[in-house]
Amino acid sequence: MVLRRLVRQSVRQSVRQSVRQSVRQSVRQWVRQWVNTSVRAASTCGNVVADGVEAKPFEDVPGPRGIYQIPYIGTLFHFKPFSQFTPTTSNQFFHSLFLRYGPLVKLRIGRVCVVTSDPKDIETVYRNEGRVPLRPSVDLLTVYAKRNGYKDNLSNLNGEEWSALRTPANKRLMKADSAEHYLPQHNVIADELVDVMSTESLEGPQLEDLLFRYSSESIGVVAFNARLGFMNRGAVQDPEALEFLEASKELFRCLHKVFVGESVFHAVYRNKTYRAFERAYNVIKRQTKQHIKQAYAINEQKSREGTAPNDESNLLLSLVSGKDVTEEDICAILEALYSSSTDAIARNLLVFLYNLASHPEKQKVLREEIHNVVGQNKMITAEHLKEMHYLKACLKESFRINYPTSLGSMRVLPTDVVLSGFRIPAGVPILFGNPTACRLYFQDADKFLPERWLRSQDGRTQQSIPNMALLPFGHGPRMCIGQRFALQELHLTTAKILQKLSIDVTPESRGATFHYNISPFPNKPIRFVFTPDNTRV
């Protein structure tokens, strides 16, 4: 007892000392920045010129002032108990800023940054992001990698280290047909999902768990070239598969705690959240290495037999047979692909199904398209998916109505740019308010209208669609590496469900809204009702 008490006291003292040092350093840095900013502002004498465009100085960008600019503490005043917003309603918080200050807002979130909801500004940033775009890393992942001596996963890297790994990954993952190789296997997994939906009554949490298992199983086929065993009826029986599944869930629970501010000192010491995250990630890393080892064994056996085929279409076999990546590189790529896909696809599929259930007239049109293109029982091919234009339009509209994240991407530019008439210096973080752009720059923005995305024979849409407003997977060199697989999975799954089932929700589930941790989640449990579609037998 005495020893534990001394340890706790020592940890508390260490944390207090680290926090005091961090605050002192931040205050000094803030004062220096304030002095330098004041000097620059005094010497600027009004407007400045950047790239031939007369622009107002950075100091004049509108946004919260006063106590909101205090380092660290200032950010807290934006949320409860000082306002009605919480970290999970940060999308509403940013929307309120745009309504109050306009399309470009300067505020302090840890450090001074700007947030833009203007699609033209977003395009300007992407045009100036450079060959190796810079975006902030997730510190929990960075701390884990450093403490354990591992290479960070691909999505968390920056600079030339990111570029060296992204280049070989692009060759395998970003080709137009890179996801099509997995369609036959994904059809089988989707059929298993529909079978469960059609025979079992699923409460909100049960369906969310099913969709998580489904998305994990689907992306597992891609990342690990194997079935993971998550779609077995009832509880997962295999101990190794169960351990992997629980680790995948725990990973996102820990990241959620960091997102909402429940874990702050994980970088200072191994707190409870960090320890749980480390245990979970160790499981994922161990099993990822096992799958890589199996792939090397398959490749070596084929080489000995002289039967090694061209495995370019198979991600894992292509990686292990290539000479442009190491085993550590492969691990970093697969971990990024798997971890960025499971929770995100599951939650956005839930949102999509809810939007279709809430708009039965649109669901009917979509079901007619699916029946006309592929029928009720056939396997869905890449050619079928290419013909389903209304399906793609419905998913885009679902993304627009309920954006996949509370904000869009973030960039730190190497050069000055002019956004909304203001000069933004190099090095200032720029966040994209895409969720607000999807509300302010569309006609009838509150209506679910997939038709707005359909194109006529001359390539025109019914409405003017602003470029760079809807970017659910980002844009440019750092767009989501799993984009093609995520879209294929969302399109295929929805088509498979509507081939046989109608989607509805119970009366008490209507009127749900979506909040955010990493991905959207409903503000109340949603109970879906899946019934056999008897319109065509």
Side-chain angles (χ1 to χ4, degrees), residues 70-120:
I70 301 174
Y72 288 99
I73 301 173
T75 304
L76 300 177
F77 291 112
H78 290 300
F79 301 98
K80 283 186 176 181
F82 307 102
S83 78
Q84 73 270 35
F85 304 112
T86 67
T88 60
T89 59
S90 57
N91 60 315
Q92 299 173 20
F93 162 65
F94 285 109
H95 186 66
S96 71
L97 290 180
F98 294 128
L99 294 179
R100 180 174 180 181
Y101 296 105
L104 187 71
V105 180
K106 181 172 67 175
L107 74 161
R108 178 179 287 277
I109 308 178
R111 60 181 293 193
V112 173
C113 62
V114 295
V115 193
T116 178
S117 64
D118 188 337
K120 293 180 180 178

Side-chain angles (χ1 to χ4, degrees), residues 25 186 216 253 314 328 351 402 412-413 418 422 439 442 478 506 518 534:
Q25 183 179 357
H186 283 166
S216 300
R253 283 194 289 264
N314 184 294
E328 186 181 28
V351 173
N402 301 107
V412 179
L413 298 184
V418 176
F422 294 91
R439 295 171 65 179
F442 284 81
R478 286 209 75 143
T506 57
I518 299 171
N534 298 317

Side-chain angles (χ1 to χ4, degrees), residues 12-279:
R12 290 194 192 100
Q13 185 177 358
S14 175
V15 170
R16 291 193 198 101
Q17 185 178 356
S18 298
V19 171
R20 283 197 297 268
Q21 290 175 349
S22 178
V23 170
R24 288 194 196 101
Q25 183 179 357
S26 298
V27 170
R28 292 192 199 103
Q29 184 179 359
W30 179 75
V31 170
R32 285 196 299 268
Q33 289 177 344
W34 182 83
V35 171
N36 292 336
T37 296
S38 300
V39 171
R40 284 201 309 270
S43 61
T44 300
C45 298
N47 295 352
V48 297
V49 175
D51 297 328
V53 179
E54 187 174 312
K56 290 170 280 189
F58 177 64
E59 292 73 24
D60 291 346
V61 177
R65 310 281 183 178
I67 60 173
Y68 299 106
Q69 290 297 317
I70 301 174
Y72 288 99
I73 301 173
T75 304
L76 300 177
F77 291 112
H78 290 300
F79 301 98
K80 283 186 176 181
F82 307 102
S83 78
Q84 73 270 35
F85 304 112
T86 67
T88 60
T89 59
S90 57
N91 60 315
Q92 299 173 20
F93 162 65
F94 285 109
H95 186 66
S96 71
L97 290 180
F98 294 128
L99 294 179
R100 180 174 180 181
Y101 296 105
L104 187 71
V105 180
K106 181 172 67 175
L107 74 161
R108 178 179 287 277
I109 308 178
R111 60 181 293 193
V112 173
C113 62
V114 295
V115 193
T116 178
S117 64
D118 188 337
K120 293 180 180 178
D121 283 349
I122 296 173
E123 183 175 3
T124 297
V125 174
Y126 276 123
R127 287 183 181 277
N128 289 275
E129 67 178 348
R131 183 182 65 85
V132 185
L134 176 63
R135 73 176 186 190
S137 301
V138 179
D139 67 335
L140 190 59
L141 286 166
T142 302
V143 169
Y144 168 81
K146 287 183 177 179
R147 284 177 177 163
N148 291 276
Y150 294 134
K151 187 170 192 170
D152 219 337
N153 82 38
L154 174 59
S155 63
N156 218 41
L157 292 172
N158 272 304
E160 293 300 330
E161 193 177 12
W162 166 83
S163 180
L165 198 55
R166 180 68 188 237
T167 299
N170 279 351
K171 290 194 302 185
R172 279 92 173 180
L173 294 169
M174 300 304 288
K175 294 187 297 182
D177 61 348
S178 57
E180 294 176 7
H181 169 75
Y182 298 95
L183 257 177
Q185 291 168 286
H186 283 166
N187 266 268
V188 173
I189 301 171
D191 284 336
E192 292 170 0
L193 173 71
V194 174
D195 185 45
V196 175
M197 287 179 166
S198 61
T199 57
E200 296 184 14
S201 177
L202 301 168
E203 299 292 338
Q206 292 173 318
L207 180 62
E208 290 179 29
D209 175 70
L210 175 64
L211 294 181
F212 184 86
R213 288 191 284 123
Y214 168 73
S215 63
S216 300
E217 184 79 19
S218 295
I219 199 62
V221 167
V222 178
F224 308 124
N225 195 37
R227 289 293 302 265
L228 300 178
F230 296 162
M231 288 302 293
N232 295 333
R233 281 188 174 274
V236 178
Q237 300 297 325
D238 181 66
E240 196 168 70
L242 180 60
E243 182 186 34
F244 194 35
L245 179 63
E246 290 304 317
S248 301
K249 293 179 180 179
E250 185 65 27
L251 197 74
F252 290 101
R253 283 194 289 264
C254 294
L255 289 170
H256 168 65
K257 289 180 180 179
V258 173
F259 178 87
V260 300
E262 291 182 17
S263 177
V264 179
F265 298 119
H266 47 266
V268 179
Y269 75 105
R270 297 172 184 262
N271 64 4
K272 183 178 179 180
T273 298
Y274 175 80
R275 295 195 303 273
F277 179 84
E278 186 175 62
R279 287 193 297 270

